[in-house]
Short mmCIF file of all heavy atoms in Angstrom, two decimals:
data_model
loop_
_atom_site.label_atom_id
_atom_site.label_comp_id
_atom_site.label_asym_id
_atom_site.label_seq_id
_atom_site.Cartn_x
_atom_site.Cartn_y
_atom_site.Cartn_z
N MET A 1 243.20 -191.17 60.29
CA MET A 1 242.81 -190.42 59.14
C MET A 1 241.38 -189.92 59.29
O MET A 1 241.08 -188.82 58.87
CB MET A 1 242.96 -191.28 57.89
CG MET A 1 242.56 -190.59 56.66
SD MET A 1 243.63 -190.55 55.24
CE MET A 1 245.00 -191.55 55.56
N LEU A 2 240.54 -190.73 59.85
CA LEU A 2 239.16 -190.30 60.08
C LEU A 2 239.14 -189.14 61.06
O LEU A 2 238.32 -188.22 60.92
CB LEU A 2 238.33 -191.46 60.61
CG LEU A 2 236.84 -191.19 60.80
CD1 LEU A 2 236.20 -190.80 59.48
CD2 LEU A 2 236.15 -192.40 61.36
N LYS A 3 240.06 -189.15 62.01
CA LYS A 3 240.16 -188.05 62.97
C LYS A 3 240.43 -186.73 62.26
O LYS A 3 239.80 -185.71 62.56
CB LYS A 3 241.27 -188.36 63.97
CG LYS A 3 241.51 -187.28 64.98
CD LYS A 3 242.66 -187.66 65.89
CE LYS A 3 243.05 -186.52 66.80
NZ LYS A 3 244.21 -186.86 67.62
N TRP A 4 241.35 -186.76 61.27
CA TRP A 4 241.68 -185.52 60.55
C TRP A 4 240.50 -185.04 59.72
O TRP A 4 240.26 -183.83 59.63
CB TRP A 4 242.90 -185.74 59.66
CG TRP A 4 244.16 -185.73 60.44
CD1 TRP A 4 244.93 -186.81 60.75
CD2 TRP A 4 244.78 -184.61 61.05
NE1 TRP A 4 246.00 -186.41 61.51
CE2 TRP A 4 245.93 -185.07 61.70
CE3 TRP A 4 244.48 -183.25 61.11
CZ2 TRP A 4 246.78 -184.21 62.41
CZ3 TRP A 4 245.33 -182.41 61.81
CH2 TRP A 4 246.46 -182.90 62.44
N SER A 5 239.76 -185.95 59.10
CA SER A 5 238.61 -185.51 58.31
C SER A 5 237.55 -184.89 59.21
O SER A 5 236.91 -183.90 58.83
CB SER A 5 238.05 -186.66 57.49
OG SER A 5 237.56 -187.68 58.31
N LEU A 6 237.37 -185.43 60.42
CA LEU A 6 236.42 -184.84 61.35
C LEU A 6 236.89 -183.47 61.83
O LEU A 6 236.07 -182.56 62.00
CB LEU A 6 236.19 -185.78 62.54
CG LEU A 6 235.44 -187.07 62.22
CD1 LEU A 6 235.39 -187.96 63.44
CD2 LEU A 6 234.06 -186.78 61.70
N ILE A 7 238.19 -183.31 62.04
CA ILE A 7 238.72 -182.01 62.46
C ILE A 7 238.48 -180.97 61.38
O ILE A 7 238.03 -179.85 61.66
CB ILE A 7 240.23 -182.13 62.80
CG1 ILE A 7 240.41 -182.90 64.10
CG2 ILE A 7 240.87 -180.74 62.89
CD1 ILE A 7 241.85 -183.24 64.42
N PHE A 8 238.75 -181.32 60.11
CA PHE A 8 238.52 -180.36 59.03
C PHE A 8 237.04 -180.09 58.84
O PHE A 8 236.65 -178.98 58.47
CB PHE A 8 239.16 -180.85 57.73
CG PHE A 8 240.63 -180.57 57.65
CD1 PHE A 8 241.55 -181.58 57.75
CD2 PHE A 8 241.08 -179.27 57.49
CE1 PHE A 8 242.90 -181.33 57.70
CE2 PHE A 8 242.43 -179.00 57.42
CZ PHE A 8 243.34 -180.02 57.53
N LEU A 9 236.19 -181.07 59.11
CA LEU A 9 234.75 -180.84 59.04
C LEU A 9 234.32 -179.83 60.10
O LEU A 9 233.54 -178.92 59.82
CB LEU A 9 233.99 -182.15 59.22
CG LEU A 9 232.47 -182.05 59.23
CD1 LEU A 9 231.98 -181.59 57.87
CD2 LEU A 9 231.86 -183.37 59.60
N VAL A 10 234.84 -179.97 61.31
CA VAL A 10 234.51 -179.02 62.38
C VAL A 10 235.03 -177.63 62.04
O VAL A 10 234.33 -176.63 62.24
CB VAL A 10 235.08 -179.52 63.73
CG1 VAL A 10 234.98 -178.45 64.80
CG2 VAL A 10 234.37 -180.78 64.17
N VAL A 11 236.24 -177.55 61.49
CA VAL A 11 236.78 -176.25 61.07
C VAL A 11 235.89 -175.62 60.01
O VAL A 11 235.62 -174.41 60.05
CB VAL A 11 238.23 -176.42 60.54
CG1 VAL A 11 238.71 -175.17 59.83
CG2 VAL A 11 239.17 -176.77 61.67
N ALA A 12 235.40 -176.43 59.06
CA ALA A 12 234.52 -175.91 58.02
C ALA A 12 233.21 -175.39 58.60
O ALA A 12 232.72 -174.32 58.20
CB ALA A 12 234.24 -176.99 56.99
N VAL A 13 232.65 -176.12 59.56
CA VAL A 13 231.39 -175.68 60.17
C VAL A 13 231.59 -174.39 60.97
O VAL A 13 230.79 -173.45 60.85
CB VAL A 13 230.81 -176.81 61.06
CG1 VAL A 13 229.65 -176.30 61.89
CG2 VAL A 13 230.38 -177.98 60.20
N ILE A 14 232.64 -174.33 61.75
CA ILE A 14 232.91 -173.12 62.54
C ILE A 14 233.18 -171.93 61.64
O ILE A 14 232.68 -170.82 61.87
CB ILE A 14 234.08 -173.37 63.52
CG1 ILE A 14 233.64 -174.36 64.59
CG2 ILE A 14 234.54 -172.07 64.16
CD1 ILE A 14 234.76 -174.83 65.50
N ALA A 15 233.97 -172.14 60.59
CA ALA A 15 234.25 -171.05 59.65
C ALA A 15 232.97 -170.62 58.93
O ALA A 15 232.79 -169.42 58.65
CB ALA A 15 235.31 -171.48 58.65
N GLY A 16 232.10 -171.56 58.64
CA GLY A 16 230.83 -171.22 58.01
C GLY A 16 229.94 -170.38 58.90
O GLY A 16 229.24 -169.47 58.44
N ILE A 17 229.97 -170.67 60.20
CA ILE A 17 229.17 -169.89 61.15
C ILE A 17 229.65 -168.44 61.19
O ILE A 17 228.85 -167.51 61.24
CB ILE A 17 229.23 -170.53 62.55
CG1 ILE A 17 228.46 -171.85 62.55
CG2 ILE A 17 228.67 -169.58 63.61
CD1 ILE A 17 228.63 -172.66 63.82
N PHE A 18 230.97 -168.25 61.12
CA PHE A 18 231.53 -166.91 61.19
C PHE A 18 231.62 -166.22 59.84
O PHE A 18 231.99 -165.05 59.76
CB PHE A 18 232.90 -166.93 61.86
CG PHE A 18 232.83 -167.25 63.32
CD1 PHE A 18 233.41 -168.41 63.81
CD2 PHE A 18 232.18 -166.41 64.21
CE1 PHE A 18 233.35 -168.72 65.16
CE2 PHE A 18 232.11 -166.71 65.55
CZ PHE A 18 232.69 -167.87 66.03
N GLY A 19 231.31 -166.92 58.76
CA GLY A 19 231.24 -166.30 57.44
C GLY A 19 232.54 -166.27 56.66
O GLY A 19 232.67 -165.46 55.74
N PHE A 20 233.48 -167.12 56.98
CA PHE A 20 234.73 -167.19 56.21
C PHE A 20 234.54 -168.21 55.10
O PHE A 20 234.92 -169.36 55.23
CB PHE A 20 235.90 -167.58 57.12
CG PHE A 20 236.14 -166.62 58.24
CD1 PHE A 20 235.96 -167.01 59.56
CD2 PHE A 20 236.55 -165.33 57.98
CE1 PHE A 20 236.18 -166.14 60.59
CE2 PHE A 20 236.78 -164.44 59.01
CZ PHE A 20 236.59 -164.84 60.33
N PHE A 21 233.98 -167.76 53.99
CA PHE A 21 233.55 -168.70 52.95
C PHE A 21 234.72 -169.36 52.24
O PHE A 21 234.61 -170.51 51.80
CB PHE A 21 232.64 -168.00 51.95
CG PHE A 21 231.35 -167.56 52.59
CD1 PHE A 21 231.09 -166.22 52.81
CD2 PHE A 21 230.43 -168.50 53.00
CE1 PHE A 21 229.92 -165.83 53.40
CE2 PHE A 21 229.24 -168.11 53.60
CZ PHE A 21 228.99 -166.77 53.80
N ASN A 22 235.85 -168.68 52.07
CA ASN A 22 237.00 -169.31 51.42
C ASN A 22 237.56 -170.44 52.29
O ASN A 22 237.94 -171.48 51.77
CB ASN A 22 238.09 -168.28 51.13
CG ASN A 22 237.66 -167.29 50.08
OD1 ASN A 22 236.83 -167.61 49.24
ND2 ASN A 22 238.22 -166.10 50.13
N ILE A 23 237.60 -170.21 53.59
CA ILE A 23 238.09 -171.24 54.51
C ILE A 23 237.12 -172.42 54.55
O ILE A 23 237.54 -173.57 54.63
CB ILE A 23 238.31 -170.64 55.91
CG1 ILE A 23 239.41 -169.58 55.85
CG2 ILE A 23 238.67 -171.73 56.91
CD1 ILE A 23 239.59 -168.81 57.14
N VAL A 24 235.83 -172.12 54.46
CA VAL A 24 234.83 -173.18 54.46
C VAL A 24 235.03 -174.10 53.28
O VAL A 24 235.04 -175.33 53.42
CB VAL A 24 233.40 -172.59 54.42
CG1 VAL A 24 232.37 -173.67 54.18
CG2 VAL A 24 233.09 -171.86 55.70
N ALA A 25 235.22 -173.54 52.11
CA ALA A 25 235.38 -174.35 50.90
C ALA A 25 236.65 -175.19 50.98
O ALA A 25 236.63 -176.38 50.63
CB ALA A 25 235.42 -173.44 49.67
N ALA A 26 237.73 -174.60 51.44
CA ALA A 26 238.99 -175.34 51.53
C ALA A 26 238.92 -176.45 52.57
O ALA A 26 239.32 -177.59 52.30
CB ALA A 26 240.14 -174.38 51.87
N ALA A 27 238.41 -176.15 53.75
CA ALA A 27 238.33 -177.15 54.81
C ALA A 27 237.36 -178.27 54.44
O ALA A 27 237.62 -179.44 54.71
CB ALA A 27 237.93 -176.51 56.13
N ALA A 28 236.26 -177.92 53.80
CA ALA A 28 235.29 -178.94 53.40
C ALA A 28 235.89 -179.85 52.32
O ALA A 28 235.68 -181.06 52.34
CB ALA A 28 234.02 -178.29 52.89
N ALA A 29 236.63 -179.27 51.40
CA ALA A 29 237.26 -180.08 50.35
C ALA A 29 238.30 -181.02 50.95
O ALA A 29 238.37 -182.20 50.56
CB ALA A 29 237.91 -179.17 49.32
N ILE A 30 239.09 -180.53 51.88
CA ILE A 30 240.09 -181.38 52.53
C ILE A 30 239.41 -182.49 53.32
O ILE A 30 239.84 -183.65 53.28
CB ILE A 30 241.01 -180.54 53.43
CG1 ILE A 30 241.88 -179.62 52.59
CG2 ILE A 30 241.89 -181.43 54.31
CD1 ILE A 30 242.65 -178.59 53.38
N ALA A 31 238.34 -182.16 54.02
CA ALA A 31 237.61 -183.17 54.80
C ALA A 31 237.04 -184.26 53.89
O ALA A 31 237.10 -185.44 54.21
CB ALA A 31 236.50 -182.51 55.60
N LYS A 32 236.50 -183.86 52.73
CA LYS A 32 235.96 -184.85 51.79
C LYS A 32 237.04 -185.78 51.28
O LYS A 32 236.86 -186.99 51.22
CB LYS A 32 235.29 -184.14 50.61
CG LYS A 32 233.96 -183.56 50.91
CD LYS A 32 233.39 -182.92 49.66
CE LYS A 32 232.14 -182.14 49.94
NZ LYS A 32 231.65 -181.47 48.73
N VAL A 33 238.16 -185.20 50.88
CA VAL A 33 239.25 -186.01 50.33
C VAL A 33 239.76 -187.00 51.39
O VAL A 33 239.93 -188.19 51.11
CB VAL A 33 240.40 -185.11 49.82
CG1 VAL A 33 241.64 -185.93 49.52
CG2 VAL A 33 239.96 -184.34 48.60
N LEU A 34 240.00 -186.51 52.60
CA LEU A 34 240.50 -187.38 53.66
C LEU A 34 239.49 -188.47 54.01
O LEU A 34 239.87 -189.61 54.28
CB LEU A 34 240.86 -186.56 54.91
CG LEU A 34 242.10 -185.69 54.79
CD1 LEU A 34 242.25 -184.85 56.05
CD2 LEU A 34 243.32 -186.52 54.55
N PHE A 35 238.21 -188.12 54.00
CA PHE A 35 237.18 -189.11 54.31
C PHE A 35 237.15 -190.21 53.27
O PHE A 35 237.09 -191.40 53.61
CB PHE A 35 235.81 -188.44 54.41
CG PHE A 35 234.70 -189.40 54.73
CD1 PHE A 35 234.59 -189.91 56.01
CD2 PHE A 35 233.80 -189.79 53.76
CE1 PHE A 35 233.57 -190.81 56.32
CE2 PHE A 35 232.79 -190.68 54.06
CZ PHE A 35 232.67 -191.19 55.33
N PHE A 36 237.23 -189.85 51.99
CA PHE A 36 237.20 -190.88 50.94
C PHE A 36 238.47 -191.72 50.95
O PHE A 36 238.41 -192.92 50.70
CB PHE A 36 236.95 -190.25 49.57
CG PHE A 36 235.52 -189.81 49.39
CD1 PHE A 36 235.21 -188.49 49.16
CD2 PHE A 36 234.49 -190.73 49.49
CE1 PHE A 36 233.89 -188.09 49.02
CE2 PHE A 36 233.17 -190.34 49.35
CZ PHE A 36 232.87 -189.01 49.11
N ILE A 37 239.61 -191.12 51.26
CA ILE A 37 240.84 -191.90 51.40
C ILE A 37 240.69 -192.89 52.55
O ILE A 37 241.08 -194.05 52.45
CB ILE A 37 242.06 -190.98 51.60
CG1 ILE A 37 242.36 -190.22 50.31
CG2 ILE A 37 243.28 -191.78 52.03
CD1 ILE A 37 243.42 -189.17 50.47
N PHE A 38 240.11 -192.43 53.66
CA PHE A 38 239.88 -193.31 54.80
C PHE A 38 238.97 -194.48 54.42
O PHE A 38 239.25 -195.63 54.77
CB PHE A 38 239.25 -192.53 55.96
CG PHE A 38 238.76 -193.40 57.06
CD1 PHE A 38 239.64 -193.96 57.97
CD2 PHE A 38 237.41 -193.69 57.19
CE1 PHE A 38 239.19 -194.77 58.99
CE2 PHE A 38 236.95 -194.50 58.21
CZ PHE A 38 237.84 -195.04 59.10
N ILE A 39 237.91 -194.20 53.70
CA ILE A 39 236.97 -195.26 53.29
C ILE A 39 237.67 -196.28 52.40
O ILE A 39 237.50 -197.50 52.58
CB ILE A 39 235.73 -194.66 52.58
CG1 ILE A 39 234.91 -193.84 53.57
CG2 ILE A 39 234.89 -195.73 51.93
CD1 ILE A 39 234.31 -194.66 54.69
N VAL A 40 238.46 -195.81 51.44
CA VAL A 40 239.17 -196.73 50.54
C VAL A 40 240.15 -197.59 51.33
O VAL A 40 240.21 -198.81 51.14
CB VAL A 40 239.88 -195.94 49.43
CG1 VAL A 40 240.84 -196.83 48.66
CG2 VAL A 40 238.87 -195.33 48.48
N LEU A 41 240.92 -196.98 52.22
CA LEU A 41 241.87 -197.74 53.02
C LEU A 41 241.16 -198.73 53.94
O LEU A 41 241.65 -199.84 54.16
CB LEU A 41 242.76 -196.81 53.83
CG LEU A 41 243.76 -195.99 53.02
CD1 LEU A 41 244.51 -195.02 53.93
CD2 LEU A 41 244.73 -196.89 52.30
N PHE A 42 240.02 -198.34 54.46
CA PHE A 42 239.24 -199.24 55.32
C PHE A 42 238.77 -200.46 54.54
O PHE A 42 238.87 -201.60 55.02
CB PHE A 42 238.05 -198.49 55.91
CG PHE A 42 237.15 -199.35 56.73
CD1 PHE A 42 237.56 -199.82 57.97
CD2 PHE A 42 235.89 -199.70 56.28
CE1 PHE A 42 236.73 -200.62 58.73
CE2 PHE A 42 235.06 -200.49 57.04
CZ PHE A 42 235.48 -200.96 58.27
N ILE A 43 238.27 -200.25 53.33
CA ILE A 43 237.80 -201.37 52.51
C ILE A 43 238.96 -202.28 52.13
O ILE A 43 238.83 -203.51 52.18
CB ILE A 43 237.06 -200.84 51.27
CG1 ILE A 43 235.74 -200.19 51.71
CG2 ILE A 43 236.79 -201.96 50.27
CD1 ILE A 43 235.02 -199.45 50.62
N ILE A 44 240.10 -201.69 51.77
CA ILE A 44 241.27 -202.50 51.44
C ILE A 44 241.70 -203.32 52.65
O ILE A 44 242.04 -204.50 52.53
CB ILE A 44 242.42 -201.61 50.93
CG1 ILE A 44 242.07 -201.04 49.56
CG2 ILE A 44 243.73 -202.39 50.86
CD1 ILE A 44 243.04 -199.99 49.08
N THR A 45 241.68 -202.71 53.82
CA THR A 45 242.06 -203.41 55.04
C THR A 45 241.10 -204.55 55.36
O THR A 45 241.52 -205.60 55.85
CB THR A 45 242.13 -202.43 56.23
OG1 THR A 45 243.02 -201.37 55.90
CG2 THR A 45 242.60 -203.10 57.48
N LEU A 46 239.83 -204.36 55.07
CA LEU A 46 238.86 -205.43 55.31
C LEU A 46 239.20 -206.67 54.49
O LEU A 46 239.06 -207.80 54.95
CB LEU A 46 237.45 -204.97 54.96
CG LEU A 46 236.75 -204.11 55.99
CD1 LEU A 46 235.38 -203.70 55.47
CD2 LEU A 46 236.59 -204.84 57.31
N PHE A 47 239.62 -206.47 53.25
CA PHE A 47 239.89 -207.60 52.37
C PHE A 47 241.27 -208.18 52.57
O PHE A 47 241.47 -209.38 52.36
CB PHE A 47 239.69 -207.20 50.91
CG PHE A 47 238.26 -206.97 50.56
CD1 PHE A 47 237.83 -205.72 50.16
CD2 PHE A 47 237.34 -207.99 50.65
CE1 PHE A 47 236.50 -205.51 49.85
CE2 PHE A 47 236.00 -207.79 50.35
CZ PHE A 47 235.58 -206.54 49.95
N THR A 48 242.24 -207.37 52.94
CA THR A 48 243.61 -207.87 53.05
C THR A 48 244.14 -207.84 54.48
O THR A 48 245.33 -208.05 54.69
CB THR A 48 244.57 -207.04 52.18
OG1 THR A 48 244.57 -205.69 52.65
CG2 THR A 48 244.15 -207.08 50.73
N GLY A 49 243.27 -207.59 55.42
CA GLY A 49 243.68 -207.47 56.81
C GLY A 49 244.12 -208.77 57.42
O GLY A 49 244.23 -209.80 56.76
N ARG A 50 244.40 -208.71 58.71
CA ARG A 50 244.88 -209.91 59.41
C ARG A 50 243.83 -211.00 59.39
O ARG A 50 242.65 -210.77 59.57
CB ARG A 50 245.20 -209.58 60.86
CG ARG A 50 246.41 -208.70 61.00
CD ARG A 50 246.88 -208.62 62.40
NE ARG A 50 245.83 -208.10 63.27
CZ ARG A 50 245.92 -208.08 64.59
NH1 ARG A 50 246.98 -208.54 65.18
NH2 ARG A 50 244.95 -207.57 65.31
N ARG A 51 244.30 -212.17 59.20
CA ARG A 51 243.43 -213.35 59.24
C ARG A 51 243.65 -214.04 60.58
O ARG A 51 244.63 -213.80 61.27
CB ARG A 51 243.78 -214.33 58.12
CG ARG A 51 243.77 -213.69 56.77
CD ARG A 51 242.39 -213.73 56.18
NE ARG A 51 242.45 -213.27 54.80
CZ ARG A 51 241.57 -212.45 54.29
NH1 ARG A 51 240.58 -212.00 55.00
NH2 ARG A 51 241.65 -212.08 53.03
N GLY A 52 242.77 -214.94 60.94
CA GLY A 52 242.95 -215.71 62.17
C GLY A 52 244.20 -216.56 62.10
O GLY A 52 244.55 -217.08 61.05
N ARG A 53 244.86 -216.73 63.21
CA ARG A 53 246.08 -217.53 63.23
C ARG A 53 245.75 -219.00 63.19
O ARG A 53 244.78 -219.47 63.79
CB ARG A 53 246.88 -217.22 64.49
CG ARG A 53 247.40 -215.82 64.51
CD ARG A 53 248.27 -215.60 65.69
NE ARG A 53 248.76 -214.23 65.68
CZ ARG A 53 249.56 -213.74 66.59
NH1 ARG A 53 249.94 -214.50 67.61
NH2 ARG A 53 249.97 -212.51 66.52
N ASN A 54 246.58 -219.73 62.48
CA ASN A 54 246.41 -221.19 62.44
C ASN A 54 247.01 -221.80 63.69
O ASN A 54 248.17 -221.58 64.00
CB ASN A 54 247.10 -221.77 61.20
CG ASN A 54 246.43 -221.30 59.93
OD1 ASN A 54 245.26 -220.95 59.95
ND2 ASN A 54 247.16 -221.30 58.85
N SER A 55 246.24 -222.58 64.40
CA SER A 55 246.76 -223.21 65.61
C SER A 55 247.25 -224.62 65.26
O SER A 55 246.69 -225.30 64.43
CB SER A 55 245.71 -223.27 66.69
OG SER A 55 244.60 -223.99 66.23
N MET A 56 248.29 -225.06 65.92
CA MET A 56 248.86 -226.39 65.65
C MET A 56 248.30 -227.41 66.59
O MET A 56 248.12 -227.37 67.67
CB MET A 56 250.36 -226.36 65.77
CG MET A 56 250.99 -225.54 64.69
SD MET A 56 252.75 -225.63 64.97
CE MET A 56 253.31 -225.42 63.36
#
């Protein structure tokens, strides 16, 4: 998911360089949403992720 947010960020930057302002706004918005979803899932995974195995 972080990969997709970085891809949309790059698309937004490239579109901004060439002056496609509608594409910039859309790609930047998608990148923000994906980034925040990634952060939330990462935090949830930290708290509920795999624990160390109990050895017998």
Side-chain angles (χ1 to χ4, degrees):
M1 179 129 6
L2 185 60
K3 177 182 172 184
W4 283 107
S5 63
L6 291 175
I7 289 172
F8 279 108
L9 177 66
V10 170
V11 168
V13 170
I14 291 172
I17 290 171
F18 290 116
F20 300 115
F21 295 109
N22 292 333
I23 296 173
V24 170
I30 292 170
K32 284 181 188 177
V33 168
L34 289 175
F35 180 73
F36 285 119
I37 290 172
F38 170 77
I39 293 296
V40 168
L41 290 176
F42 176 71
I43 291 171
I44 291 171
T45 304
L46 281 178
F47 290 117
T48 63
R50 291 192 302 171
R51 306 272 187 223
R53 294 185 180 180
N54 294 336
S55 58
M56 293 181 152

